[in-house]
Amino acid sequence: MIAVQGFLKAMKWEEYKIASVWVAPSAKEDFWKNIDRFQGKLHLLDYEIRDIGFQNPNPTKTVLLRCRYYSTSDPELRTKTLHQKWVFSVSPEGWQVLEPDLGGFLSEQP
């Protein structure tokens, strides 16, 4: 999905305002709270989309990601698997992330 790629690319380059374009309105507050918690403290190096749950007939899809990142307080390279929830919106038309699972990065910080 192009939306997932765009969201993750913006997150990797710390372009959070651009990433927020793909965040569903109901998830924006939590998105910005998480960004405020790790901005400048965590750097996403790369990501791999492992699976997208297209077999599910409802409009919500699960995206399984493998991310490599490091914390500025502990530069050890870490790997984390995230489960994001995406939904197709009619207005505005396109895919939006409902649950970015960004808190998953924060749960392992030293």
Side-chain angles (χ1 to χ4, degrees), residues 24-76:
S26 63
K28 285 203 190 259
E29 185 175 347
D30 284 340
F31 171 80
W32 285 112
K33 282 181 183 177
N34 281 315
I35 295 301
D36 290 343
R37 289 172 56 200
F38 72 67
Q39 189 171 7
K41 298 175 190 166
L42 183 137
H43 296 285
L44 178 62
L45 293 178
D46 59 33
Y47 59 87
E48 176 186 1
I49 299 172
R50 290 275 173 103
D51 190 38
I52 299 176
F54 280 116
Q55 67 278 8
N56 191 342
N58 71 35
T60 303
K61 306 298 179 204
T62 300
V63 177
L64 182 66
L65 304 169
R66 181 180 177 271
C67 300
R68 291 187 327 145
Y69 67 99
Y70 69 91
S71 167
T72 56
S73 63
D74 177 14
E76 178 182 339

Side-chain angles (χ1 to χ4, degrees), residues 76-100:
E76 178 182 339
L77 186 61
R78 298 176 186 270
T79 302
K80 180 77 178 171
T81 300
L82 302 179
H83 297 84
Q84 294 183 333
K85 299 275 186 207
W86 286 76
V87 66
F88 190 80
S89 172
V90 176
S91 180
E93 186 175 54
W95 287 96
Q96 297 178 336
V97 62
L98 286 172
E99 297 175 15

Side-chain angles (χ1 to χ4, degrees), residues 10-11 14-22 28 31-32 35:
M11 292 296 295
E14 299 179 20
E15 295 174 336
Y16 302 121
K17 286 184 181 182
I18 293 171
S20 74
V21 169
W22 284 282
K28 285 203 190 259
F31 171 80
W32 285 112
I35 295 301

